[in-house]
Amino acid sequence: MPHWWTPCIEAYPIRMPDRNPAKVKSIGNSADPEFPKAIPLREVVANCEHRWFEQTLKAAKSGDISSQCLVGQMFCSGYGVPVNVKKGKYWLQKAAELDMEARSLLASLSGPEYKQDNASVSSKQS
């Protein structure tokens, strides 16, 4: 499985602009290709989280138990994907068949804050 930062690096490659003071302009000047329009940090982070979720989901679907456990946690916490406790429990139950850590995580989801399983969300599992 690739490192967690791989999607971020691929999506936002670091390119150093020309440091010649005569060429330096404000970052907001999108007309200059040397300085593309700034992307808000929250969008960059959200994109990285979502791409990480997609990669982890792919590994979970292929049977990787650690990824199944992580996808369950991501669904329950809303990390990289909208909160969906029902899908989170599904993936944790799948991982709990063979993993003790997933069993303890699944047991921790019995609190009152997890009793509602997002009834408005489709029951189809990812």
Side-chain angles (χ1 to χ4, degrees):
M1 188 166 163
H3 295 290
W4 65 267
W5 63 81
T6 303
C8 301
I9 293 170
E10 291 170 355
Y12 304 99
I14 298 172
R15 191 171 54 85
M16 296 302 293
D18 187 352
R19 295 290 184 206
N20 181 346
K23 291 185 175 181
V24 174
K25 299 177 183 175
S26 78
I27 290 179
N29 184 358
S30 61
D32 186 351
E34 190 71 27
F35 291 95
K37 187 173 180 178
I39 300 171
L41 182 58
R42 91 173 78 58
E43 288 181 28
V44 174
V45 171
N47 181 280
C48 290
E49 288 175 359
H50 181 71
R51 290 172 55 129
W52 182 30
F53 171 79
E54 291 296 325
Q55 287 183 347
T56 307
L57 181 62
K58 184 178 179 181
K61 287 179 177 181
S62 71
D64 183 66
I65 296 170
S66 296
S67 294
Q68 291 173 349
C69 191
L70 184 55
V71 166
Q73 292 174 345
M74 292 171 107
F75 267 124
C76 289
S77 66
Y79 194 86
V81 67
V83 174
N84 189 326
V85 176
K86 185 179 276 189
K87 288 184 179 184
K89 285 182 178 181
Y90 166 81
W91 282 106
L92 286 171
Q93 286 171 344
K94 194 168 177 84
E97 294 171 3
L98 299 170
D99 185 60
M100 188 59 96
E101 182 183 350
R103 287 183 197 136
S104 63
L105 286 169
L106 193 56
S108 72
L109 293 179
S110 61
E113 66 274 16
Y114 294 108
K115 289 298 181 189
Q116 286 185 334
D117 284 14
N118 299 329
S120 64
V121 179
S122 167
S123 64
K124 180 183 176 246
Q125 303 303 323
S126 289

